Amino acid sequence: DRAAGLQRGPERTKLLTVTVVGGGFSGVEGFGELLALATALLKQYPEIGPDEPAFHLVEARDRILPEVTDRPGAWVVRSLEKRGARVHLNTQMVSAEGGRVRLSDGTEYDSGLLVWTAGNAANPIVHNHSDLPVDERGLLTVRADLRVTTGTEVVPDAWAAGDDASVPDLAAGRAGARTVPNAQHAVRQGKLLAKNILASLRGRPTKDYVHRSLGVVATLGLGRGIFQYRRLVVKGFPAWLMHRGYHVLAIPSWERKTRVFAVWVTALLYGRDIVSLASVQHPREAFVSRGELRGGEEPAQSGDRLTA
Ligand SMILES: Cc1cc2nc3c(=O)[nH]c(=O)nc-3n(C[C@H](O)[C@H](O)[C@H](O)COP(=O)(O)OP(=O)(O)OC[C@H]3O[C@@H](n4cnc5c(N)ncnc54)[C@H](O)[C@@H]3O)c2cc1C
């Protein structure tokens, strides 16, 4: 919206340039969705040419989406590039001072939006402010039944699950394998943790956590996605449908499932519901910046107020 009000030039180019750092699931999904949103928005801004928005995905390794195998990963890169995006593999962001992005491959440009999705880390409170045992990544070490352990001894009455726990992955069939930090594991571990606490209080044996991955699925924007389960790969629209279907089923309670599904159906019928969040936070800004209202001055009558 701001770019459309400017003449072509460096400021407008900067506003239309997006950088996402990190080619993991969060980075690629966020990047694909932003690209799809920007493409949809262009229909409402004929002042902006289709060649103007620039999308850069920066990834330090030679491939994106580490959870899928090489060929589907390469397909995702090609499909993003076909949509006009630039994917910088084997490249790190060196600096982004003042919005000036410098990449290790020598590329330099101004970017109005920078999204950082390069990795997650253990919660510092646990490893800095508790004496509970943690591994080299700072994650709580637990046995397969989710009791916290030093490796040799169980810590009495301490349990952990989810992203901040280093849980043995018994389904992986490899010694030392740990479950990856995703909701697929976290939700199941949470349920087992509750059952195991109850079992231990009642003097019954606890159960080990074992879960075989149901596959990985990512969206790449509206109507596009990728799914992989072992050697089975589904691309494009069917993968996107599977993503939506799986996630709506994963939402807790039928009330929530129905609400979310209803919003999706409305969007299917009437298209994207595009609202400027900036206008919601600062509704007066457009008037103030155009000189129609001075900062701090209220409109004459409440009826004059505009709603987004
Ligand atoms: C952008 C994004 C997309 C993702 N997409 C997927 C996906 O499609 N599929 C999938 O399986 N997984 C996905 N994940 C991963 C998934 O969200 C996590 O694995 C899951 O949420 C982990 O659950 P958790 O309960 O262990 O931790 P969290 O969901 O992080 O919950 C921890 C909670 O503890 C709170 N907390 C932290 N410190 C304290 C404190 N000191 N006191 C009190 N409360 C505290 C936090 O505020 C938070 O609410 C995604 C993650 C991200 C970031």
Side-chain angles (χ1 to χ4, degrees):
D1 190 60
R2 281 165 59 203
L6 295 173
Q7 296 291 332
R8 276 189 189 239
E11 189 52 29
R12 170 160 155 152
T13 308
K14 180 178 178 177
L15 285 171
L16 294 171
T17 303
V18 173
T19 306
V20 174
V21 184
F25 262 89
S26 303
V28 171
E29 287 196 310
F31 188 76
E33 295 294 341
L34 275 173
L35 186 57
L37 175 65
T39 311
L41 275 171
L42 281 182
K43 290 187 193 114
Q44 303 196 3
Y45 292 99
E47 311 90 320
I48 300 176
D51 55 321
E52 284 195 77
F55 277 75
H56 297 263
L57 177 64
V58 184
E59 166 54 47
R61 281 183 285 182
D62 60 353
R63 47 158 304 165
I64 58 171
L65 293 179
E67 287 88 347
V68 303
T69 49
D70 287 353
R71 280 179 65 181
W75 177 83
V76 173
V77 172
R78 283 199 304 278
S79 109
L80 290 172
E81 285 176 341
K82 264 192 214 155
R83 290 160 67 194
R86 183 98 192 265
V87 182
H88 304 259
L89 297 177
N90 292 309
T91 309
Q92 291 183 17
M93 170 171 281
V94 180
S95 103
E97 221 175 315
R100 180 83 189 156
V101 173
R102 290 188 176 83
L103 303 180
S104 58
D105 64 359
T107 311
E108 248 185 66
Y109 56 87
D110 290 322
S111 184
L113 177 65
L114 172 63
V115 182
W116 187 270
T117 63
N120 52 13
N123 188 319
I125 296 211
V126 175
H127 54 88
N128 290 343
H129 303 289
S130 86
D131 57 359
L132 291 165
V134 291
D135 70 1
E136 64 291 348
R137 294 171 297 166
L139 303 176
L140 283 157
T141 48
V142 298
R143 296 194 327 188
D145 68 353
L146 307 174
R147 278 180 192 272
V148 176
T149 174
T150 59
T152 49
E153 280 173 48
V154 160
V155 179
D157 303 325
W159 304 77
D163 279 11
D164 215 47
S166 174
V167 180
D169 190 350
L170 300 183
R174 278 180 286 114
R178 302 275 142 178
T179 58
V180 292
N182 66 27
Q184 221 181 101
H185 285 300
V187 170
R188 287 175 176 83
Q189 288 171 5
K191 286 182 183 166
L192 180 69
L193 186 148
K195 284 183 186 161
N196 278 350
I197 291 178
L198 207 59
S200 80
L201 289 173
R202 292 179 176 167
R204 292 205 298 255
T206 54
K207 282 191 184 148
D208 284 348
Y209 177 76
V210 189
H211 171 65
R212 256 172 235 295
S213 168
L214 302 171
V216 290
V217 64
T219 56
L220 307 167
L222 199 61
R224 299 177 170 94
I226 185 143
F227 167 84
Q228 183 170 27
Y229 177 68
R230 299 186 182 175
R231 292 173 67 184
L232 172 71
V233 177
V234 181
K235 300 174 196 159
F237 186 70
W240 178 81
L241 265 189
M242 290 165 78
H243 182 279
R244 285 282 169 123
Y246 175 74
H247 282 93
V248 83
L249 289 176
I251 295 169
S253 90
W254 280 102
E255 179 240 329
R256 286 282 133 195
K257 284 189 222 298
T258 316
R259 280 183 194 274
V260 171
F261 189 68
V263 172
W264 288 353
V265 172
T266 325
L268 187 72
L269 293 175
Y270 300 108
R272 285 176 184 268
D273 186 11
I274 293 169
V275 175
S276 161
L277 294 181
S279 308
V280 173
Q281 299 299 323
H282 306 284
R284 299 154 50 81
E285 201 173 276
F287 298 100
V288 174
S289 65
R290 282 167 181 75
E292 289 169 26
L293 273 181
R294 288 189 299 279
E297 189 182 304
E298 289 296 321
Q301 295 168 2
S302 58
D304 294 341
R305 286 170 198 261
L306 295 181
T307 49

